[in-house]
Amino acid sequence: MQMMKHLNQLIEPIRELRNFIIFWLGQSLSEIGNRLTGFGLSIWVYQNTHAVAQLSLVLFFTILPGVLITPFVGALVDKWHRKTTIIISEIGAATVILTLALLLLTDNLQLWHTYVAAFFTSVCGSFQMTAKAAALPMMVSSNQMGRANGLIHFSSAVG
């Protein structure tokens, strides 16, 4: 009987967080994919240019939009539907990544493509990050917020 009680105590938080866990798994896979793409893009730039300055420009275009637009994104996300914002930003980032893959596979990828891709992926990431943070309190109860935040930060660290 005691064993069953402990088992129920372990399973109950999973039941409460079921929808969040599905969302979190999808977002985690997306984040890992985005980070691997950025890493691969940086390697491609360095291998093709052998210039640290070109590599630095990719990093610059990756970081700059987030720094510049994130304060304004918060105000927009508060006015927009969060689920739609997350979906559109995911589709935008996926479109950029698929375009890069297509350009690479057809030997048409050029340096300027990497700058544009880094910029737009960063913009999509800013919307995504802000919308996820704003949607979290609507997906989980206040007593599960610590677990949910822990999972989100864990997936960011893994990415």
Side-chain angles (χ1 to χ4, degrees):
M1 186 67 168
Q2 188 71 10
M3 175 99 153
M4 200 59 127
K5 183 179 177 184
H6 288 302
L7 187 60
N8 281 338
Q9 286 176 339
L10 291 173
I11 293 174
E12 190 58 34
I14 294 171
R15 282 189 196 133
E16 287 181 34
L17 293 172
R18 187 178 77 76
N19 289 336
F20 170 75
I21 288 173
I22 293 168
F23 171 78
W24 171 74
L25 286 172
Q27 289 297 303
S28 296
L29 289 174
S30 173
E31 186 159 346
I32 290 168
N34 288 341
R35 302 289 175 134
L36 285 174
T37 300
F39 179 70
L41 201 58
S42 299
I43 290 173
W44 183 89
V45 167
Y46 187 73
Q47 284 181 339
N48 287 286
T49 65
H50 299 289
V52 176
Q54 304 302 327
L55 176 61
S56 298
L57 277 173
V58 172
L59 297 174
F60 174 75
F61 284 116
T62 300
I63 294 170
L64 180 69
V67 170
L68 293 180
I69 71 166
T70 298
F72 304 105
V73 166
L76 292 173
V77 166
D78 283 342
K79 294 178 183 178
W80 297 344
H81 188 260
R82 286 163 181 86
K83 183 177 179 181
T84 305
T85 304
I86 292 169
I87 291 170
I88 290 173
S89 63
E90 282 284 353
I91 290 170
T95 302
V96 170
I97 291 169
L98 290 173
T99 302
L100 281 175
L102 183 65
L103 288 169
L104 182 63
L105 290 172
T106 60
D107 288 328
N108 290 318
L109 185 61
Q110 297 178 14
L111 189 59
W112 70 271
H113 293 134
T114 63
Y115 300 148
V116 172
F119 179 84
F120 282 114
T121 306
S122 180
V123 168
C124 290
S126 293
F127 278 94
Q128 221 175 357
M129 176 186 65
T130 307
K132 271 195 299 190
L136 190 61
M138 291 184 279
M139 289 192 291
V140 298
S141 60
S142 59
N143 65 329
Q144 297 294 339
M145 192 64 74
R147 283 190 176 115
N149 275 321
L151 287 171
I152 287 182
H153 289 294
F154 172 74
S155 64
S156 294
V158 169

Coordinates of all heavy atoms in Angstrom, one line a residue, residues 76-150:
L76 N 4.9 43.3 -28.1 CA 4.1 42.7 -29.2 C 3.5 41.4 -28.8 O 2.3 41.1 -29.0 CB 5.0 42.5 -30.4 CG 5.5 43.8 -31.1 CD1 6.5 43.5 -32.2 CD2 4.3 44.5 -31.7
V77 N 4.3 40.6 -28.1 CA 3.8 39.2 -27.7 C 2.7 39.4 -26.7 O 1.7 38.6 -26.7 CB 5.0 38.4 -27.1 CG1 4.5 37.2 -26.4 CG2 5.9 38.0 -28.2
D78 N 2.7 40.4 -25.9 CA 1.6 40.6 -24.9 C 0.3 40.9 -25.6 O -0.8 40.6 -25.1 CB 1.9 41.7 -23.9 CG 2.9 41.3 -22.9 OD1 3.0 40.1 -22.6 OD2 3.5 42.2 -22.2
K79 N 0.4 41.5 -26.8 CA -0.8 41.8 -27.6 C -1.3 40.7 -28.5 O -2.4 40.7 -28.9 CB -0.6 43.1 -28.4 CG -0.3 44.3 -27.6 CD 0.0 45.5 -28.5 CE 0.3 46.7 -27.7 NZ 0.7 47.9 -28.5
W80 N -0.4 39.8 -28.9 CA -0.7 38.8 -29.8 C -1.0 37.5 -29.1 O -0.7 37.3 -27.9 CB 0.5 38.5 -30.7 CG 0.9 39.6 -31.6 CD1 0.2 40.7 -31.9 CD2 2.2 39.8 -32.3 NE1 0.9 41.6 -32.7 CE2 2.1 41.0 -33.0 CE3 3.3 39.0 -32.4 CZ2 3.1 41.5 -33.8 CZ3 4.4 39.5 -33.2 CH2 4.3 40.7 -33.8
H81 N -1.6 36.5 -29.8 CA -1.9 35.2 -29.3 C -0.6 34.5 -29.2 O 0.1 34.3 -30.2 CB -2.9 34.5 -30.3 CG -3.4 33.2 -29.7 ND1 -2.9 32.0 -30.1 CD2 -4.3 32.9 -28.8 CE1 -3.5 31.0 -29.5 NE2 -4.4 31.6 -28.7
R82 N -0.2 34.0 -28.0 CA 1.1 33.4 -27.8 C 1.3 32.1 -28.6 O 2.4 31.9 -29.2 CB 1.3 33.1 -26.3 CG 1.5 34.4 -25.6 CD 1.3 34.2 -24.1 NE 1.5 35.5 -23.4 CZ 0.6 36.4 -23.2 NH1 -0.6 36.3 -23.7 NH2 0.8 37.5 -22.5
K83 N 0.3 31.3 -28.7 CA 0.4 30.0 -29.4 C 0.7 30.3 -30.9 O 1.6 29.7 -31.5 CB -0.9 29.2 -29.3 CG -0.8 27.8 -29.9 CD -2.1 27.1 -29.7 CE -2.1 25.7 -30.3 NZ -3.3 25.0 -30.1
T84 N 0.0 31.2 -31.5 CA 0.2 31.6 -32.9 C 1.6 32.2 -33.0 O 2.3 31.9 -34.0 CB -0.8 32.6 -33.3 OG1 -2.1 32.1 -33.1 CG2 -0.7 33.0 -34.8
T85 N 2.1 33.0 -32.1 CA 3.4 33.6 -32.2 C 4.5 32.5 -32.2 O 5.4 32.5 -32.9 CB 3.6 34.6 -31.0 OG1 2.6 35.6 -31.0 CG2 5.0 35.2 -31.1
I86 N 4.3 31.5 -31.3 CA 5.3 30.4 -31.2 C 5.3 29.6 -32.5 O 6.4 29.3 -33.1 CB 5.0 29.5 -30.0 CG1 5.3 30.3 -28.7 CG2 5.9 28.3 -30.1 CD1 4.7 29.6 -27.4
I87 N 4.1 29.3 -33.0 CA 4.0 28.5 -34.3 C 4.6 29.3 -35.4 O 5.4 28.7 -36.2 CB 2.6 28.1 -34.5 CG1 2.1 27.1 -33.5 CG2 2.4 27.6 -36.0 CD1 0.6 26.8 -33.5
I88 N 4.3 30.6 -35.6 CA 4.8 31.3 -36.7 C 6.4 31.5 -36.6 O 7.1 31.4 -37.6 CB 4.1 32.7 -36.8 CG1 2.7 32.5 -37.3 CG2 4.9 33.7 -37.7 CD1 1.8 33.8 -37.2
S89 N 6.9 31.7 -35.4 CA 8.3 31.9 -35.3 C 9.0 30.5 -35.5 O 10.1 30.5 -36.1 CB 8.7 32.4 -33.9 OG 8.3 31.6 -32.8
E90 N 8.4 29.4 -35.1 CA 9.0 28.1 -35.4 C 9.0 27.8 -36.9 O 10.0 27.4 -37.5 CB 8.2 27.0 -34.8 CG 8.4 26.8 -33.3 CD 9.7 26.1 -33.0 OE1 10.4 25.6 -33.9 OE2 10.1 26.0 -31.8
I91 N 7.9 28.2 -37.6 CA 7.8 28.0 -39.1 C 8.9 28.9 -39.8 O 9.5 28.5 -40.7 CB 6.4 28.3 -39.6 CG1 5.5 27.2 -39.1 CG2 6.4 28.4 -41.1 CD1 4.0 27.5 -39.4
G92 N 9.0 30.1 -39.3 CA 10.0 31.0 -39.8 C 11.4 30.5 -39.7 O 12.2 30.5 -40.7
A93 N 11.8 30.0 -38.5 CA 13.1 29.5 -38.3 C 13.3 28.2 -39.1 O 14.4 28.0 -39.7 CB 13.3 29.2 -36.8
A94 N 12.3 27.3 -39.2 CA 12.4 26.1 -40.0 C 12.6 26.5 -41.5 O 13.4 25.8 -42.2 CB 11.2 25.2 -39.8
T95 N 11.9 27.5 -42.0 CA 12.0 27.9 -43.4 C 13.4 28.4 -43.7 O 14.0 28.0 -44.7 CB 11.0 29.0 -43.7 OG1 9.7 28.5 -43.4 CG2 11.1 29.4 -45.1
V96 N 14.0 29.1 -42.8 CA 15.4 29.6 -43.0 C 16.3 28.4 -43.0 O 17.2 28.4 -43.9 CB 15.8 30.6 -41.8 CG1 17.2 30.9 -41.9 CG2 14.9 31.9 -42.0
I97 N 16.2 27.5 -42.1 CA 17.1 26.4 -42.0 C 17.0 25.5 -43.2 O 17.9 25.0 -43.8 CB 16.9 25.6 -40.7 CG1 17.3 26.5 -39.5 CG2 17.6 24.3 -40.7 CD1 17.0 26.0 -38.1
L98 N 15.7 25.2 -43.6 CA 15.5 24.4 -44.8 C 16.1 25.1 -46.1 O 16.6 24.4 -47.0 CB 14.0 24.1 -45.0 CG 13.4 23.1 -44.0 CD1 11.9 23.0 -44.2 CD2 14.1 21.7 -44.1
T99 N 16.0 26.4 -46.2 CA 16.5 27.1 -47.3 C 18.0 27.0 -47.3 O 18.7 26.8 -48.3 CB 16.1 28.6 -47.2 OG1 14.7 28.7 -47.2 CG2 16.7 29.4 -48.4
L100 N 18.7 27.1 -46.1 CA 20.1 26.9 -46.0 C 20.5 25.5 -46.4 O 21.5 25.4 -47.2 CB 20.6 27.2 -44.6 CG 20.7 28.6 -44.1 CD1 21.1 28.6 -42.6 CD2 21.8 29.3 -44.9
A101 N 19.8 24.5 -46.0 CA 20.1 23.2 -46.4 C 20.0 23.0 -47.9 O 20.9 22.3 -48.5 CB 19.2 22.2 -45.7
L102 N 18.9 23.5 -48.5 CA 18.8 23.4 -49.9 C 19.9 24.1 -50.7 O 20.4 23.6 -51.6 CB 17.4 24.0 -50.3 CG 17.0 23.9 -51.8 CD1 16.9 22.5 -52.2 CD2 15.7 24.7 -52.0
L103 N 20.3 25.3 -50.2 CA 21.4 26.0 -50.8 C 22.7 25.3 -50.7 O 23.5 25.2 -51.6 CB 21.5 27.4 -50.2 CG 20.4 28.4 -50.6 CD1 20.6 29.7 -49.7 CD2 20.5 28.8 -52.0
L104 N 22.9 24.6 -49.5 CA 24.1 23.9 -49.3 C 24.2 22.6 -50.2 O 25.2 22.3 -50.8 CB 24.2 23.5 -47.8 CG 25.5 22.7 -47.5 CD1 26.7 23.5 -47.7 CD2 25.4 22.2 -46.0
L105 N 23.0 21.9 -50.3 CA 23.0 20.7 -51.1 C 23.1 21.0 -52.6 O 23.6 20.1 -53.3 CB 21.7 20.0 -50.8 CG 21.5 19.3 -49.5 CD1 20.1 18.8 -49.2 CD2 22.6 18.2 -49.3
T106 N 22.7 22.2 -53.0 CA 22.9 22.5 -54.5 C 24.1 23.3 -54.7 O 24.3 23.8 -55.8 CB 21.6 23.3 -54.9 OG1 21.5 24.5 -54.2 CG2 20.4 22.5 -54.8
D107 N 25.0 23.4 -53.8 CA 26.3 24.1 -53.9 C 26.1 25.6 -54.2 O 26.9 26.2 -55.0 CB 27.2 23.5 -54.9 CG 27.8 22.2 -54.4 OD1 28.0 22.1 -53.2 OD2 28.0 21.3 -55.2
N108 N 25.0 26.2 -53.8 CA 24.7 27.6 -54.0 C 24.8 28.5 -52.8 O 24.5 29.6 -52.8 CB 23.3 27.7 -54.6 CG 23.2 27.2 -56.0 OD1 24.1 27.4 -56.8 ND2 22.2 26.5 -56.3
L109 N 25.2 27.9 -51.6 CA 25.3 28.6 -50.4 C 26.5 29.6 -50.5 O 27.6 29.2 -50.8 CB 25.5 27.7 -49.2 CG 25.5 28.3 -47.8 CD1 24.2 29.0 -47.5 CD2 25.7 27.3 -46.7
Q110 N 26.2 30.8 -50.2 CA 27.2 31.9 -50.2 C 27.3 32.5 -48.8 O 26.4 32.4 -48.0 CB 26.9 32.9 -51.3 CG 26.9 32.4 -52.7 CD 26.5 33.4 -53.7 OE1 26.5 34.6 -53.4 NE2 26.2 33.0 -54.9
L111 N 28.4 33.2 -48.6 CA 28.6 33.8 -47.3 C 27.5 34.8 -46.8 O 27.1 34.7 -45.7 CB 30.0 34.6 -47.3 CG 30.5 35.1 -46.0 CD1 30.7 33.9 -45.0 CD2 31.8 35.8 -46.2
W112 N 27.0 35.6 -47.8 CA 25.9 36.5 -47.4 C 24.7 35.8 -46.9 O 23.9 36.3 -46.1 CB 25.7 37.5 -48.5 CG 25.0 37.0 -49.7 CD1 25.6 36.5 -50.8 CD2 23.6 36.9 -49.9 NE1 24.7 36.1 -51.7 CE2 23.4 36.4 -51.2 CE3 22.5 37.3 -49.2 CZ2 22.2 36.2 -51.8 CZ3 21.2 37.1 -49.8 CH2 21.1 36.5 -51.1
H113 N 24.4 34.6 -47.5 CA 23.3 33.8 -47.0 C 23.4 33.5 -45.5 O 22.3 33.5 -44.8 CB 23.2 32.5 -47.8 CG 22.9 32.6 -49.2 ND1 23.6 31.9 -50.2 CD2 22.0 33.4 -49.9 CE1 23.1 32.2 -51.4 NE2 22.1 33.1 -51.2
T114 N 24.6 33.2 -45.1 CA 24.7 32.9 -43.7 C 24.4 34.1 -42.8 O 23.9 33.9 -41.7 CB 26.1 32.4 -43.4 OG1 27.1 33.4 -43.6 CG2 26.5 31.1 -44.2
Y115 N 24.8 35.3 -43.2 CA 24.5 36.5 -42.4 C 23.0 36.7 -42.3 O 22.4 37.0 -41.3 CB 25.1 37.7 -43.0 CG 26.6 37.7 -43.1 CD1 27.3 38.3 -44.2 CD2 27.4 37.0 -42.2 CE1 28.7 38.3 -44.3 CE2 28.8 36.9 -42.3 CZ 29.4 37.6 -43.4 OH 30.8 37.5 -43.5
V116 N 22.3 36.6 -43.5 CA 20.8 36.8 -43.5 C 20.1 35.7 -42.7 O 19.2 36.0 -41.9 CB 20.3 36.8 -45.0 CG1 18.8 36.8 -45.0 CG2 20.9 38.0 -45.7
A117 N 20.6 34.5 -42.8 CA 20.0 33.4 -42.0 C 20.2 33.6 -40.5 O 19.3 33.3 -39.7 CB 20.6 32.0 -42.5
A118 N 21.4 34.0 -40.1 CA 21.7 34.2 -38.7 C 20.8 35.3 -38.2 O 20.2 35.2 -37.1 CB 23.2 34.6 -38.5
F119 N 20.6 36.3 -39.0 CA 19.8 37.5 -38.5 C 18.3 37.0 -38.3 O 17.7 37.2 -37.3 CB 19.8 38.6 -39.6 CG 19.0 39.8 -39.2 CD1 19.5 40.8 -38.4 CD2 17.7 39.9 -39.8 CE1 18.7 41.9 -38.0 CE2 16.9 41.0 -39.4 CZ 17.4 42.0 -38.6
F120 N 17.7 36.4 -39.4 CA 16.3 36.0 -39.3 C 16.1 34.9 -38.2 O 15.0 34.9 -37.6 CB 15.8 35.6 -40.6 CG 15.5 36.8 -41.5 CD1 16.2 37.0 -42.6 CD2 14.5 37.7 -41.1 CE1 15.9 38.1 -43.4 CE2 14.2 38.8 -41.9 CZ 14.9 39.0 -43.1
T121 N 17.0 34.0 -38.1 CA 16.9 32.9 -37.1 C 16.9 33.6 -35.7 O 16.1 33.2 -34.8 CB 18.0 31.9 -37.2 OG1 18.0 31.4 -38.5 CG2 17.8 30.7 -36.3
S122 N 17.7 34.6 -35.5 CA 17.8 35.3 -34.2 C 16.5 36.0 -33.9 O 16.0 36.0 -32.8 CB 18.9 36.2 -34.2 OG 19.0 36.9 -33.0
V123 N 15.9 36.7 -35.0 CA 14.6 37.4 -34.8 C 13.5 36.4 -34.4 O 12.8 36.6 -33.4 CB 14.2 38.1 -36.1 CG1 12.8 38.6 -36.0 CG2 15.2 39.3 -36.4
C124 N 13.5 35.2 -35.1 CA 12.5 34.2 -34.8 C 12.7 33.7 -33.3 O 11.7 33.5 -32.6 CB 12.6 33.0 -35.7 SG 12.0 33.4 -37.4
G125 N 13.9 33.5 -32.9 CA 14.3 33.1 -31.6 C 13.8 34.0 -30.5 O 13.4 33.6 -29.4
S126 N 13.9 35.3 -30.8 CA 13.5 36.3 -29.8 C 12.0 36.3 -29.6 O 11.5 36.3 -28.5 CB 13.9 37.8 -30.4 OG 15.2 37.9 -30.4
F127 N 11.2 36.1 -30.7 CA 9.8 36.0 -30.5 C 9.4 34.7 -29.8 O 8.6 34.7 -28.9 CB 9.1 36.0 -31.9 CG 8.9 37.4 -32.4 CD1 9.8 38.0 -33.2 CD2 7.8 38.2 -32.0 CE1 9.6 39.3 -33.7 CE2 7.6 39.4 -32.5 CZ 8.5 40.0 -33.3
Q128 N 10.1 33.6 -30.2 CA 9.9 32.3 -29.6 C 10.1 32.3 -28.1 O 9.3 31.9 -27.3 CB 10.8 31.3 -30.2 CG 10.2 30.0 -30.6 CD 11.2 29.2 -31.3 OE1 12.3 29.6 -31.7 NE2 10.7 28.0 -31.6
M129 N 11.3 32.8 -27.7 CA 11.7 32.8 -26.3 C 10.7 33.7 -25.5 O 10.3 33.2 -24.4 CB 13.1 33.4 -26.2 CG 13.6 33.6 -24.8 SD 15.2 34.4 -24.7 CE 14.8 36.0 -25.3
T130 N 10.3 34.8 -26.0 CA 9.4 35.7 -25.2 C 8.0 35.1 -25.1 O 7.4 35.1 -24.0 CB 9.4 37.1 -25.9 OG1 10.7 37.6 -26.0 CG2 8.6 38.1 -25.1
A131 N 7.6 34.5 -26.2 CA 6.2 33.9 -26.2 C 6.2 32.7 -25.3 O 5.2 32.5 -24.6 CB 5.8 33.6 -27.6
K132 N 7.2 31.9 -25.3 CA 7.3 30.7 -24.4 C 7.2 31.2 -22.9 O 6.5 30.6 -22.1 CB 8.6 29.9 -24.6 CG 8.5 28.9 -25.7 CD 9.6 27.9 -25.6 CE 10.9 28.5 -25.8 NZ 12.0 27.5 -26.0
A133 N 8.0 32.2 -22.6 CA 8.0 32.6 -21.2 C 6.7 33.2 -20.8 O 6.2 33.0 -19.7 CB 9.1 33.7 -21.0
A134 N 6.0 33.9 -21.7 CA 4.7 34.5 -21.4 C 3.6 33.4 -21.3 O 2.6 33.5 -20.6 CB 4.3 35.5 -22.4
A135 N 3.8 32.3 -22.1 CA 2.7 31.3 -22.1 C 2.8 30.3 -21.0 O 1.9 29.6 -20.6 CB 2.8 30.5 -23.5
L136 N 4.0 30.2 -20.4 CA 4.2 29.2 -19.3 C 3.2 29.3 -18.2 O 2.7 28.2 -17.8 CB 5.7 29.3 -18.8 CG 6.2 28.2 -17.9 CD1 6.1 26.9 -18.6 CD2 7.6 28.5 -17.4
P137 N 2.9 30.4 -17.6 CA 2.0 30.5 -16.5 C 0.6 30.0 -16.9 O -0.2 29.6 -16.1 CB 1.9 31.9 -16.1 CG 3.2 32.5 -16.6 CD 3.5 31.7 -17.8
M138 N 0.2 30.0 -18.2 CA -1.1 29.6 -18.7 C -1.1 28.1 -18.9 O -2.2 27.5 -19.0 CB -1.4 30.3 -20.0 CG -1.7 31.8 -19.8 SD -2.3 32.5 -21.3 CE -0.7 32.8 -22.1
M139 N 0.1 27.4 -19.0 CA 0.1 26.0 -19.3 C 0.3 25.2 -18.0 O -0.1 24.0 -18.0 CB 1.3 25.7 -20.2 CG 1.1 26.1 -21.6 SD 2.3 25.5 -22.7 CE 3.8 26.3 -22.2
V140 N 0.8 25.7 -17.0 CA 1.1 25.0 -15.7 C 0.5 25.7 -14.5 O 0.4 26.9 -14.5 CB 2.6 24.6 -15.5 CG1 3.1 23.8 -16.6 CG2 3.4 25.9 -15.3
S141 N 0.2 24.9 -13.5 CA -0.3 25.6 -12.3 C 0.8 26.2 -11.5 O 2.0 25.8 -11.8 CB -1.1 24.5 -11.4 OG -0.2 23.5 -11.1
S142 N 0.5 27.1 -10.6 CA 1.6 27.8 -9.9 C 2.4 26.9 -9.1 O 3.6 27.1 -8.9 CB 1.0 28.9 -9.0 OG 0.1 28.3 -8.1
N143 N 1.9 25.8 -8.6 CA 2.7 24.8 -7.8 C 3.6 24.0 -8.6 O 4.5 23.3 -8.1 CB 1.8 24.0 -6.9 CG 0.9 23.0 -7.7 OD1 0.5 23.4 -8.8 ND2 0.6 21.9 -7.1
Q144 N 3.4 24.0 -10.0 CA 4.3 23.2 -10.9 C 5.2 24.2 -11.6 O 6.0 23.7 -12.5 CB 3.5 22.4 -11.9 CG 2.6 21.3 -11.3 CD 3.4 20.2 -10.6 OE1 4.6 20.1 -11.0 NE2 2.8 19.5 -9.7
M145 N 5.2 25.5 -11.4 CA 6.0 26.4 -12.1 C 7.5 26.2 -12.0 O 8.2 26.3 -12.9 CB 5.6 27.8 -11.6 CG 6.2 28.9 -12.5 SD 5.5 28.9 -14.2 CE 3.9 29.6 -13.9
G146 N 7.9 25.8 -10.8 CA 9.3 25.5 -10.6 C 9.8 24.4 -11.4 O 10.9 24.4 -12.0
R147 N 9.0 23.3 -11.5 CA 9.4 22.2 -12.4 C 9.5 22.6 -13.8 O 10.4 22.2 -14.5 CB 8.4 21.0 -12.2 CG 8.6 20.2 -10.9 CD 7.7 19.0 -10.9 NE 8.0 18.2 -9.8 CZ 7.2 18.0 -8.8 NH1 5.9 18.5 -8.9 NH2 7.5 17.2 -7.8
A148 N 8.5 23.3 -14.3 CA 8.4 23.7 -15.7 C 9.6 24.6 -16.0 O 10.2 24.4 -17.1 CB 7.1 24.4 -15.9
N149 N 9.9 25.6 -15.2 CA 11.0 26.4 -15.4 C 12.3 25.7 -15.4 O 13.2 25.9 -16.3 CB 11.1 27.6 -14.4 CG 10.2 28.7 -14.7 OD1 10.2 29.1 -15.9 ND2 9.6 29.3 -13.8
G150 N 12.4 24.7 -14.5 CA 13.6 23.9 -14.5 C 13.8 23.1 -15.8 O 14.9 23.0 -16.3

